[in-house]
């Protein structure tokens, strides 16, 4: 028996839920002059989407970029009307997402997160190509991982990540529409030889992911020296098929947008709330509470609330209290009601303590 | 109504006293434009009945009731065709650019569009199928890329024309035609509705006769625009009183003798106006050659990305059926010069090191020139006249510096060359946001001559 080790890396595309598109003011189910790439029109950055992603990504360990710069990714397909796609280098890099699977600690290493523009949809019908421009320009968060997953972990991680996105209201992540897609890179290790990586694109469901990986494993075991290529999966044949050879893209800066400085408005640590409610994270909750080093950075809490000085008219209180004889909970409410008619009460608890003190004095010295 | 086109704006406004006078002014210019266009061919569409307001109360605005033209690279709703390419002849623009909107608000009158080099690439005015002729000397090219807009002003068929400047394409034709042309600081005029092939270098320019009218137009136009994120608010700056003359450039062999002789005349005028002169030996021809290299490498990369969407599939003749992808590029959509620029950009990207080095060199150049022009202005020639007959690639040698840095510069007429029968010009460059101070100097020079 020979033993083979597989390494798997993923790219996850999650559609960000928002009312407007990333670079134009058109609604998300509609298209604009910019989306049709009519000449002379310039992009306008939608800042609310960027603030949303920063809030979402604050819960992971990693390094944020200081300024957001967009790049042009140049390639020519019919689904890009502009002739280039607007992407980013990274918004956060070198991230670690820690999770527990069956009480075993595991970590997913993520190379970078970056925001992207979606391409328009394509349908091939006989000799014609139909292009759906409504999809063009929708915001996408792409997360690229290091090759750190084994075959058993990958689906569990995808499920937890998806439900975390839904809980944060960051995206609806409906897989049937294509709001949550993933690409997969596989390579095989046999003693000293590492095969070249093979990319499978546009996987839509967990079942097709499982089958396509399994098919690709057998193919790699047969022949390690396969050249680099990108493939796709067809559900009818239960097979992956050849799409194209790996392409080299051109990147350069988009100069029609200025650099945007990141501003951190809130510093929140939401994790505790999430694990209590979300069901698929139940495995994590049990162990996470004991694990103190889950976050390296403990954000400093600001607790410098100054206590105001409270003024209470003592003589008025005494007058009210000395008229009554009994001592009940009802009697305090009665005192508050009487006092309220004449003056304001700022702090009720402080008032109650004061009233009880005077009541004790009354009982001792009637 | 004879020779109204030689007047200044304020003189024309004094003539207008009733509704009839406005109609007469418009009629005169439309008639003259159609008459001159038959020989010179500076425009493809001149409006037969231009729209204008008939309210005389609007006469108080500085630039109202003054006819103007716009380069074909701007998108305007009522016209047809963009960027002067033959394949996009029937393209209908669906919106107006912001400059035309601002000028419409100020009640100036739009007459028509001007021809130019295709997609504003080229500096001879010959890269199109709609070629423009030079009114001064028909054997010499009118200069480019905004050749039509310079010819239309110099032939007297409109009062001013709006164009764009990526590598000296406003200043070069305006000097050859004996006019004043300005290239403003980067981003002070909005570029919404302009097809720019190199968005980092591109800025809007104006061509007209006299500098005193130029300030009136700049006051209205230089604004921040919401739709253009690169645009900035204009900041006022104090006047400076010294000007640098780079001796090494004016003494070199490359520059012709006739424009060297006019330098002494200029120095005499500067002393009269009250501007100090500083002779400098730092600025070389070598630095200008290097900026030229930086300009061509970066601009060609940007054309490769910006213009690649204009293919025969989405734009142009749609009825042709192609058998394979290679046939699309065989059929000529662009002119030869545009295709060469795009191919150069693709090569530049494959060899990435040079492109990144050039970008770094550009940032260093901006820092150095900011210190160099801290409290001073700079004077440079626009073109060496020997270039007019022998074709070399150095034609934009003096002009690309202002585009690479993003500083304003203005070109103006100082004399006339007897050898070529063409006016001679110079250009003054200043630091950022000093457009109006530069214009004031030129205004003083032009008043001094007369």
């Amino acid at each position: 028996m020979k033993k083979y080790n597989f390494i798997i890396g993923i790219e996850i595309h999650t559609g960000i839920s928002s009312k407007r598109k990333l670079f134009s003011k058109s609604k998300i189910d509609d298209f604009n002059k910019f989306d049709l790439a009519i000449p002379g029109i310039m992009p306008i950055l939608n800042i609310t989407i960027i603030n949303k992603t920063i809030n979402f990504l604050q819960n992971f360990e990693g390094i944020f970029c200081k300024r957001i710069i967009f790049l042009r990714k140049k390639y020519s397909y019919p689904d890009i009307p502009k002739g280039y796609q607007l992407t980013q280098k990274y918004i956060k890099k070198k991230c670690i997402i820690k999770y527990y699977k069956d009480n075993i600690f595991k970590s997913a290493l993520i190379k970078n997160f970056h925001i992207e523009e979606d391409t328009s949809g394509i349908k091939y019908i006989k000799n014609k190509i139909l292009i759906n421009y409504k999809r063009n320009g929708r915001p996408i968060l792409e997360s690229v991982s290091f090759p750190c997953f084994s075959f058993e972990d990958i689906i569990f991680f995808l499920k937890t990540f998806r439900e975390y996105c839904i809980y944060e209201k960051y995206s609806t992540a409906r897989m049937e529409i294509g709001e949550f897609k993933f690409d997969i890179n596989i390579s095989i290790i046999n003693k000293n030889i590492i095969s070249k990586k093979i990319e499978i694109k546009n996987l839509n469901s967990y079942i097709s992911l499982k089958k396509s990986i399994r098919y690709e494993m057998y193919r790699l075991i047969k022949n390690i020296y396969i050249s680099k290529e990108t493939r796709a999966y067809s559900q009818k044949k239960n097979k992956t098929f050849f799409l194209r050879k790996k392409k080299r893209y051109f990147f350069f800066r988009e100069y029609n947008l200025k650099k945007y400085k990141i501003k951190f408005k809130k510093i929140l640590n939401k994790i505790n709330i999430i694990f209590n409610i979300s069901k698929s994270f139940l495995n994590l909750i049990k162990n996470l509470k004991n694990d103190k080093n889950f976050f390296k950075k403990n954000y400093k809490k600001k607790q410098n609330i100054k206590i105001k000085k409270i003024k209470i008219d003592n003589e008025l209180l005494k007058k009210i209290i000395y008229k009554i004889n009994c001592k009940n909970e009802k009697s305090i409410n009665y005192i508050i009601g009487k006092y309220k008619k004449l003056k304001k009460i700022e702090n009720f608890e402080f008032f109650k303590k004061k009233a009880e003190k005077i009541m004790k004095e009354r009982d001792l010295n009637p | 109504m004879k020779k109204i086109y030689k007047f200044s704006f304020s003189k024309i406004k004094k003539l207008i006293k009733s509704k009839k006078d406005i109609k007469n002014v418009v009629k005169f210019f439309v008639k003259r434009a159609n008459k001159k266009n038959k020989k010179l061919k500076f425009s493809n569409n001149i409006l037969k009945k231009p729209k204008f307001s008939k309210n005389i109360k609007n006469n108080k605005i500085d630039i109202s009731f003054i006819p103007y033209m716009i380069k074909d690279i701007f998108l305007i709703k009522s016209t047809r065709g963009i960027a002067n390419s033959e394949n996009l002849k029937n393209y209908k623009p669906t919106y107006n650019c912001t400059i035309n909107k601002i000028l419409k608000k100020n009640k100036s009158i739009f007459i028509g569009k001007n021809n130019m080099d295709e997609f504003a690439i080229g500096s001879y005015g010959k890269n199109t199928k709609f070629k423009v002729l030079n009114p001064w000397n028909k054997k010499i090219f009118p200069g480019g890329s905004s050749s039509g807009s310079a010819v239309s002003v110099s032939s007297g068929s409109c009062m001013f024309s709006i164009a764009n400047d990526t590598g000296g394409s406003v200043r070069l034709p305006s000097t050859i035609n004996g006019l004043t042309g300005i290239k403003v600081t980067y981003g002070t005029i909005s570029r919404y509705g302009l097809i720019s092939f190199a968005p980092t270098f591109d800025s809007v320019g104006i061509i007209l006769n006299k500098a005193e009218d130029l300030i009136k137009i700049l006051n209205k136009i230089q604004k921040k625009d919401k739709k253009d994120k690169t645009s900035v608010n204009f900041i006022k700056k104090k006047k400076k009183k010294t000007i640098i003359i780079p001796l090494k450039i004016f003494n070199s062999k490359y520059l012709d003798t006739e424009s060297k002789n006019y330098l002494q005349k200029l120095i005499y005028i500067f002393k009269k106006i009250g501007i100090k002169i500083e002779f400098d030996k730092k600025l070389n021809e070598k630095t200008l050659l290097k900026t030229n290299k930086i300009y061509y490498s970066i601009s060609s990369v940007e054309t490769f990305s910006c213009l690649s969407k204009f293919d025969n599939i989405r734009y142009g003749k749609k009825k042709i059926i192609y058998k394979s992808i290679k046939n699309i590029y065989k059929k000529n959509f662009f002119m030869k010069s545009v295709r060469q620029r795009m191919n150069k950009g693709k090569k530049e990207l494959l060899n990435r090191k040079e492109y990144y080095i050039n970008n770094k060199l550009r940032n260093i150049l901006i820092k150095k020139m900011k210190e160099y022009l801290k409290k001073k202005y700079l004077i440079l020639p626009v073109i060496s006249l020997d270039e007019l007959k022998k074709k070399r690639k150095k034609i934009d040698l003096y002009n690309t510096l202002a585009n690479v840095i993003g500083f304003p510069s203005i070109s103006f007429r100082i004399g006339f060359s007897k050898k070529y029968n063409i006016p001679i010009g110079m250009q003054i460059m200043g630091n950022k946001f000093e457009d109006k101070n530069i214009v004031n100097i030129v205004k003083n020079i032009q008043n001094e001559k007369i």
Side-chain angles (χ1 to χ4, degrees):
Chain A
M1 282 279 284
K2 267 191 178 180
K3 269 197 175 180
Y4 292 95
N5 285 321
F6 287 89
I7 317 173
I8 301 168
I10 45 170
E11 289 174 32
I12 310 168
H13 305 258
T14 46
I16 305 165
S17 61
S18 73
K19 283 181 184 176
R20 310 272 168 181
K21 283 185 176 177
L22 188 55
F23 291 111
S24 64
K25 285 185 175 180
S26 70
K27 284 179 182 176
I28 209 149
D29 300 325
D30 204 10
F31 55 82
N32 205 354
K33 284 171 197 165
F34 179 78
D35 303 317
L36 290 173
I38 283 171
I41 285 172
M42 296 156 104
I44 300 165
L45 187 72
N46 193 348
I47 297 166
T48 53
I49 288 168
I50 284 168
N51 286 331
K52 212 177 181 183
T53 53
I54 289 165
N55 279 334
F56 172 73
L57 294 175
Q58 265 181 356
N59 297 323
F60 308 132
E61 242 177 72
I63 304 162
F64 268 111
C65 69
K66 284 172 187 173
R67 278 169 191 169
I68 289 176
I69 301 165
F70 278 93
L71 301 171
R72 286 179 181 181
K73 186 183 181 185
K74 175 85 190 70
Y75 60 99
S76 46
Y77 288 140
D79 61 343
I80 321 167
K82 286 195 287 291
Y84 53 82
Q85 191 186 9
L86 289 173
T87 64
Q88 236 190 340
K89 217 172 191 184
Y90 66 92
I91 194 169
K92 197 172 190 179
K93 65 174 179 180
K94 294 178 183 174
C95 288
I96 302 168
I97 302 176
K98 294 169 180 171
Y99 62 99
Y100 281 83
K101 191 194 169 192
D102 305 330
N103 294 337
I104 301 164
F105 172 78
K106 272 168 186 179
S107 56
L109 308 172
I110 281 176
K111 210 176 183 180
N112 56 42
F113 290 100
H114 56 89
I115 302 170
E116 216 177 49
E117 189 188 29
D118 202 352
T119 57
S120 47
I122 283 188
K123 268 188 180 178
Y124 295 92
I125 298 172
K126 290 180 183 176
N127 290 325
K128 286 182 179 179
I129 301 173
L130 297 176
I131 300 171
N132 180 15
Y133 284 112
K134 286 178 182 179
R135 217 182 78 179
N136 187 23
R138 284 181 190 174
I140 282 177
L141 183 83
E142 191 173 320
S143 31
V144 184
S145 82
F146 284 105
C148 60
F149 297 102
S150 64
F151 180 66
E152 293 84 20
D153 294 340
I154 197 161
I155 285 169
F156 182 81
F157 173 74
L158 283 170
K159 275 179 183 174
T160 48
F161 187 77
R162 181 172 168 263
E163 251 166 76
Y164 178 61
C165 288
I166 293 166
Y167 177 78
E168 286 279 290
K169 290 176 183 174
Y170 183 67
S171 81
T172 47
R174 285 170 292 180
M175 290 173 78
E176 63 278 4
I177 298 171
E179 281 181 334
F180 194 78
K181 290 185 293 187
F182 25 85
D183 307 342
I184 278 175
N185 289 308
I186 305 175
S187 51
I188 191 175
I189 300 172
N190 185 17
K191 291 178 183 176
N192 295 326
I193 306 162
I194 301 173
S195 75
K196 282 171 183 174
K197 69 179 178 185
I198 283 166
E199 194 177 3
I200 306 166
K201 287 214 107 177
N202 292 330
L203 292 167
N204 235 345
S205 63
Y206 300 126
I207 301 162
S208 62
L209 183 139
K210 257 187 194 174
K211 284 180 180 174
S212 64
I213 287 174
R214 228 168 244 168
Y215 180 81
E216 211 58 38
M217 278 176 175
Y218 290 122
R219 220 171 62 86
L220 276 167
I221 289 166
K222 276 182 184 175
N223 184 13
I224 278 186
Y225 304 101
I226 291 171
S227 60
K228 259 186 186 181
E229 57 185 39
T230 61
R231 298 174 77 85
Y233 177 76
S234 75
Q235 287 183 342
K236 285 182 184 176
K237 294 178 183 176
N238 273 337
K239 272 183 183 181
T240 60
F241 59 91
F242 177 75
L243 261 182
R244 58 165 188 270
K245 281 196 173 181
K246 201 67 169 155
K247 227 182 180 185
R248 193 180 165 188
Y249 299 111
F250 300 118
F251 285 98
F252 39 92
R253 236 191 89 179
E254 163 65 81
Y255 286 96
N256 283 334
L257 287 166
K258 280 187 175 179
K259 290 175 186 174
Y260 176 74
K261 257 191 179 182
I262 283 185
K263 293 161 195 170
F264 294 101
K265 283 179 182 175
K266 298 170 189 175
I267 297 174
L268 286 174
N269 198 348
K270 287 180 188 173
I271 280 288
N272 288 324
I273 312 161
I274 294 158
F275 291 124
N276 286 328
I277 297 165
S278 175
K279 284 176 186 175
S280 76
F281 281 94
L282 275 172
N283 293 324
L284 308 176
I285 304 160
K286 292 168 191 171
N287 297 310
L288 261 181
K289 281 177 182 174
N290 302 323
D291 190 8
K292 284 175 186 175
N293 292 323
F294 190 78
F295 287 102
K296 279 184 182 176
K297 286 178 186 176
N298 287 319
Y299 297 112
K300 287 175 185 176
K301 291 174 183 176
K302 290 180 180 180
Q303 286 187 340
N304 295 323
I305 305 160
K306 288 179 181 177
I307 299 162
K308 286 179 183 178
K309 287 181 179 178
I310 300 154
K311 288 177 182 179
I312 291 171
D313 210 350
N314 281 327
E315 289 182 8
L316 218 164
L317 244 176
K318 276 181 186 179
K319 272 184 187 177
I320 297 164
I321 289 168
Y322 276 95
K323 281 179 185 175
I324 326 161
N325 288 322
C326 59
K327 186 194 169 186
N328 288 322
E329 282 189 13
K330 283 183 182 176
S331 63
I332 287 172
N333 288 333
Y334 175 77
I335 291 160
I336 290 167
K338 280 251 170 183
Y339 189 86
K340 247 188 178 177
K341 280 179 185 176
L342 298 168
K343 281 190 177 182
K344 275 189 176 179
I345 301 166
E346 287 172 351
N347 195 343
F348 280 99
E349 287 181 16
F350 187 75
F351 184 84
K352 279 175 190 174
K353 282 178 185 176
K354 197 98 184 178
E356 280 172 3
K357 223 180 192 181
I358 296 167
M359 290 230 277
K360 274 183 184 177
E361 283 176 23
R362 184 201 61 184
D363 294 339
L364 291 170
N365 314 312
Chain B
M1 280 286 182
K2 271 186 180 181
K3 293 191 177 178
I4 201 177
Y5 53 88
K6 282 188 177 178
F7 295 168
S8 64
F9 288 4
S10 54
K11 254 192 176 181
I12 292 171
K13 283 183 168 297
K14 279 177 188 173
L15 285 175
I16 294 168
K17 281 162 190 172
S18 63
K19 282 182 188 177
K20 272 196 175 180
D21 293 333
I22 305 166
K23 275 186 185 178
N24 285 332
V25 168
V26 177
K27 264 190 182 178
F28 174 80
F29 277 102
V30 172
K31 225 183 186 183
R32 194 177 165 82
N34 278 317
K35 192 185 169 188
K36 289 281 173 185
N37 193 27
K38 281 174 188 172
K39 282 186 180 178
L40 301 170
K41 292 175 183 175
F42 53 79
S43 172
N44 271 342
N45 37 25
I46 298 168
L47 301 183
K48 284 177 184 174
K49 289 178 181 176
K51 290 174 185 176
F52 55 91
S53 76
K54 286 154 192 170
N55 198 355
I56 302 168
K57 282 177 186 177
N58 290 325
N59 207 10
K60 287 175 186 175
I61 307 166
D62 284 334
I63 53 169
S64 63
F65 305 131
I66 282 163
Y68 68 95
M69 281 184 154
I70 290 186
K71 207 178 174 182
D72 200 20
I73 209 158
F74 292 92
L75 271 78
I76 294 166
K77 220 177 180 180
S78 56
T79 57
R80 268 196 177 188
I82 42 167
N84 222 339
S85 77
E86 216 211 347
N87 289 323
L88 298 173
K89 213 165 46 177
N90 296 320
Y91 183 84
K92 279 183 185 175
T94 51
Y95 69 99
N96 271 328
C97 58
T98 38
I99 290 170
N100 201 30
K101 273 181 189 173
I102 292 166
L103 289 172
K104 246 186 188 180
K105 256 187 189 177
N106 291 314
K107 312 294 177 192
S108 35
I109 301 154
F110 173 67
I111 286 183
K113 271 184 162 185
N114 288 129
N115 284 347
M116 53 169 204
D117 285 316
E118 191 179 286
F119 288 101
I121 291 170
S123 43
Y124 298 97
K126 286 182 177 179
N127 288 334
T128 52
K129 288 182 180 175
F130 316 103
K131 276 166 194 169
V132 188
L133 287 175
N134 194 343
W136 292 83
N137 185 355
K138 279 169 189 173
K139 288 176 183 175
I140 290 170
F141 58 86
S145 61
S146 40
S147 52
S149 39
V151 171
S152 67
V153 177
S154 72
S155 67
S157 43
C158 66
M159 287 307 289
F160 68 94
S161 165
I162 281 165
N164 76 323
D165 190 315
T166 32
S169 48
V170 161
R171 285 160 286 159
L172 186 83
S174 65
T175 50
I176 290 172
N177 288 298
L179 305 166
T180 58
I182 193 175
K183 178 240 161 217
V184 294
T185 49
Y186 180 76
T188 46
I189 300 176
S190 92
R191 257 169 40 236
Y192 181 77
L194 190 156
I195 310 157
S196 52
F197 72 87
T200 51
F201 300 111
D202 212 345
S203 62
V204 181
I206 302 159
I207 296 171
L208 80 178
N209 266 318
K210 286 177 182 178
E212 58 177 322
D213 301 328
L214 219 165
I215 298 172
K216 290 172 187 172
I217 301 167
L218 286 179
N219 280 332
K220 302 285 181 197
I221 285 178
Q222 286 188 319
K223 280 175 187 175
K224 200 181 178 183
D225 188 18
K226 278 182 185 176
K227 288 169 183 174
D228 180 4
K229 284 290 169 186
T230 55
S231 66
V232 274
N233 274 324
F234 191 80
I235 306 160
K236 272 193 176 182
K237 292 208 165 178
K238 282 183 182 178
K239 287 181 185 176
K240 278 100 189 178
K241 286 183 178 177
T242 49
I243 201 162
I244 300 170
I245 296 176
L247 278 177
K248 280 193 176 177
I249 288 167
F250 278 100
N251 286 333
S252 74
K253 285 179 186 175
Y254 176 72
L255 196 67
D256 60 310
T257 50
E258 268 182 313
S259 43
K260 274 177 192 171
N261 294 333
Y262 274 102
L263 186 68
Q264 285 185 342
K265 197 182 176 184
L266 252 181
I267 292 167
Y268 176 72
I269 293 167
F270 279 135
K271 278 181 184 175
K272 257 194 172 182
I273 296 164
I275 292 170
K276 290 175 188 175
I277 292 163
E278 200 180 277
F279 293 105
D280 181 67
K281 288 182 180 178
K282 274 183 185 175
L283 199 68
N284 273 332
E285 226 164 63
K286 276 186 182 176
T287 52
L288 293 178
L289 279 170
K290 214 161 222 181
T291 50
N292 241 10
K293 264 191 179 178
I294 294 166
Y295 168 78
Y296 278 109
S297 83
I298 297 174
S299 73
S300 55
V301 167
E302 284 171 17
T303 50
F304 174 57
S305 77
C306 286
L307 298 186
S308 62
K309 70 181 170 190
F310 294 104
D311 47 10
N312 250 334
I313 303 166
R314 233 168 281 119
Y315 296 87
K317 298 165 189 170
K318 287 176 183 175
K319 288 181 181 176
I320 301 169
I321 296 166
Y322 302 100
K323 286 179 182 176
S324 71
I325 295 168
K326 283 179 184 176
N327 285 337
I328 294 167
Y329 295 103
K330 275 180 187 175
K331 301 248 174 187
N332 299 342
F333 190 83
F334 296 112
M335 293 291 289
K336 195 183 171 186
S337 60
V338 183
R339 251 183 298 141
Q340 278 177 352
R341 195 68 78 88
M342 284 170 76
N343 283 329
K344 202 199 166 194
K346 203 175 181 182
K347 280 177 190 172
E348 205 81 21
L349 277 172
L350 288 168
N351 182 15
R352 281 185 194 184
K353 260 192 180 176
E354 266 187 40
Y355 174 64
Y356 285 113
I357 287 167
N358 283 326
N359 267 321
K360 278 182 182 176
L361 279 175
R362 189 185 178 186
N363 289 328
I364 293 164
L365 217 148
I366 290 167
K367 274 182 189 174
K368 282 195 172 178
M369 287 302 287
K370 252 186 190 176
E371 281 184 16
Y372 188 69
L373 297 176
K374 211 172 187 183
K375 289 178 180 177
K376 291 157 197 171
Y377 302 117
L378 179 72
I379 191 158
L380 281 172
V382 180
I383 181 177
S384 88
L385 294 175
D386 297 334
E387 199 83 30
L388 293 172
K389 286 199 170 174
K390 297 167 193 171
K391 271 192 183 179
R392 275 179 264 169
K393 280 190 177 179
K394 283 182 185 175
I395 195 165
D396 280 329
L397 181 73
Y398 305 112
N399 300 331
T400 49
L401 179 67
N403 290 95
V404 172
I405 309 165
F407 289 1
S409 84
I410 181 169
S411 69
F412 56 97
R413 184 186 167 179
I414 49 163
F416 195 84
S417 86
K418 287 170 186 174
K419 198 179 174 186
Y420 296 98
N421 284 326
I422 263 180
I424 298 172
M426 292 276 174
Q427 60 175 320
I428 296 175
M429 220 168 78
N431 218 322
K432 256 189 179 182
F433 300 116
E434 247 164 279
D435 315 19
K436 282 166 193 174
N437 296 337
I438 295 169
V439 176
N440 269 320
I441 291 170
V442 176
K443 183 184 158 190
N444 288 330
I445 291 166
Q446 285 175 350
N447 285 333
E448 200 62 32
K449 270 187 175 178
I450 300 158

